Amino acid sequence: MKRTASTTGTVIHEVFRRAYERGDRPALIDLRGGHVYGYRRLVNEVTRAASGLVRRGARRDQVVGVCVSTAGAQTLAAHTVVAAGGVAAPIDPSASAYEMAAWLRECDARTLITTPDLAETAILAAEESRIRQVVSLGPAVDTIDFRCLLTLEPTALPPLDAKRQHALLLADGSRLSHAELLARMAELDLTVRLAESDVVLSTWLPDGGCGLLALVCLGVSKGALVVAAKDGDLAGTSHDFGVTVMTGPDGRLERVG
């Protein structure tokens, strides 16, 4: 069941508008997290989890902290927040509990999404901030399992305004509207012009910026496959997946071969 209430021009609409017709084709292979996300699975989990967040009290324009360790987790968490009408605030996973708590207090976040490997730090940060619920993408003590959001009774998602509503709050304090995040995606695409036949190998990790998020958004919107690398043999990974585009150290994409 489709529950996305976004209007044309929002991040959710532009990224997922062709997800259902692309079906089970892989959209994101997260080698670090050990997950493969097909297009239909990705959009279904995002919309179902967003509905669950709304059921659990998420409100329009509320900031939700996102402190995760993998590309797949960041993709699911950030898009879920945005689809629920909130503002996703990516947090560098290397941040201490004290640093995280200070930032969460500053942006008045009430929900924090994390991964099991970071859950202990996230719980400590929550105790020193105004966080009311910690959601974990996987079982972790004193957290709500992300999968529980998928089981709640569906409810309508709020309509989103692409120009006026914020999608992201970055670690440097800047806020990006839906339209501004789409502009970041277009900027990334300038040098490569992604197509459905492309396979993008990403070595970027989740942090307090929007580089990785913009990359995955771009790849999914274009129908390409994004492979999030783990430490090891990048040349072998490139060969195995037939990589055509890679992330560079300067925050740009470049064609290979």
Side-chain angles (χ1 to χ4, degrees):
M1 176 182 177
K2 299 181 184 181
R3 287 183 289 278
T4 302
S6 311
T7 56
T8 301
T10 65
V11 169
I12 298 299
H13 177 271
E14 295 303 316
V15 171
F16 293 121
R17 62 195 170 95
R18 295 187 60 191
Y20 285 101
E21 66 182 77
R22 288 171 177 149
D24 295 326
R25 277 180 50 202
L28 172 63
I29 298 177
D30 181 6
L31 295 178
R32 286 179 176 272
H35 296 287
V36 177
Y37 300 92
Y39 278 89
R40 185 181 290 119
R41 175 193 169 189
L42 193 55
V43 69
N44 279 339
E45 290 199 7
V46 164
T47 52
R48 287 165 59 196
S51 173
L53 270 188
V54 173
R55 278 284 180 201
R56 290 192 60 86
R59 295 292 178 265
R60 229 180 126 98
D61 298 322
Q62 281 187 343
V63 174
V64 176
V66 175
C67 186
V68 296
S69 55
T70 67
Q74 189 181 62
T75 299
L76 270 180
H79 282 92
T80 293
V81 172
V82 172
V87 181
I91 300 171
D92 193 320
S94 66
S96 67
Y98 174 82
E99 292 168 330
M100 198 185 306
W103 176 236
L104 292 169
R105 288 195 302 269
E106 184 175 337
C107 58
D108 198 28
R110 307 302 174 87
T111 299
L112 175 60
I113 302 178
T114 190
T115 41
D117 55 319
L118 301 171
E120 185 176 351
T121 301
I123 291 296
L124 291 174
E127 291 172 351
E128 298 300 322
S129 63
R130 300 185 70 186
I131 293 294
R132 295 173 179 170
Q133 55 185 347
V134 178
V135 178
S136 176
L137 285 136
V141 176
D142 295 329
T143 69
I144 300 162
D145 194 319
F146 184 85
R147 290 174 298 183
C148 293
L149 299 178
L150 308 179
T151 65
L152 298 179
E153 183 70 22
T155 190
L157 300 180
L160 307 174
D161 187 309
K163 293 182 179 179
R164 289 182 290 186
Q165 190 161 357
H166 292 130
L168 297 179
L169 171 60
L170 305 182
D172 63 5
S174 60
R175 290 177 179 254
L176 296 184
S177 68
H178 285 249
E180 288 168 332
L181 179 52
L182 290 173
R184 293 285 183 98
M185 291 160 53
E187 210 175 297
L188 265 182
D189 198 34
L190 280 175
T191 56
V192 291
R193 301 296 183 188
L194 283 187
E196 287 197 2
S197 58
D198 279 316
V199 178
V200 184
L201 180 62
S202 173
T203 57
W204 297 344
L205 299 174
D207 56 18
C210 72
L212 180 58
L213 276 169
L215 168 63
V216 177
C217 284
L218 173 63
V220 175
S221 70
K222 295 288 187 176
L225 169 61
V226 178
V227 179
K230 62 180 179 180
D231 296 332
D233 181 12
L234 293 182
T237 302
S238 296
H239 179 269
D240 290 345
F241 289 98
V243 168
T244 58
V245 175
M246 288 190 68
T247 54
D250 57 356
R252 298 184 182 184
L253 302 182
E254 54 189 39
R255 287 206 168 269
V256 297

